[in-house]
Amino acid sequence: MTEASTTVDKLFRQNNYLRTACNDLQNSVTAGGSAEPFLTRVRNGRARMESTLQQVRAEDPSFGSNKGFEDARGHATRLLSELNLS
């Protein structure tokens, strides 16, 4: 595997992690539970993903525009805003 494909794989893993963290946060809040255990996961996941995405785009500037990548960062940002936790 090339370094570029390894970085893309890492990005997809981080994206899936962030989606799961967002779902866990939303489910906890919807059920009347605490947001706290999940806030750190969402915020840190979003920050790690931003860093990796910058690496990927440095290697392939067109990444995301035509590769079917659905970026979970926007979902995380919207969710935090909707829950007044941003």
Side-chain angles (χ1 to χ4, degrees):
M1 231 189 294
T2 67
E3 185 177 334
S5 64
T6 302
T7 306
V8 171
D9 290 341
K10 179 180 175 182
L11 180 66
F12 275 92
R13 285 191 308 275
Q14 289 173 341
N15 198 52
N16 289 336
Y17 174 87
L18 183 54
R19 284 196 183 283
T20 299
C22 286
N23 289 338
D24 292 345
L25 171 62
Q26 190 165 19
N27 290 339
S28 179
V29 171
T30 300
S34 173
E36 284 305 315
F38 306 102
L39 282 176
T40 301
R41 285 177 50 203
V42 170
R43 289 178 178 147
N44 290 347
R46 188 172 52 175
R48 278 192 305 274
M49 199 175 145
E50 179 65 39
S51 174
T52 304
L53 187 57
Q54 287 176 4
Q55 288 177 321
V56 169
R57 288 202 173 130
E59 296 162 359
D60 179 3
S62 69
F63 181 83
S65 60
N66 60 358
K67 294 189 171 47
F69 178 72
E70 291 185 38
D71 193 337
R73 290 171 310 141
H75 175 64
T77 300
R78 282 188 304 280
L79 178 61
L80 292 174
S81 178
E82 288 170 8
L83 298 173
N84 293 319
L85 298 170
S86 34

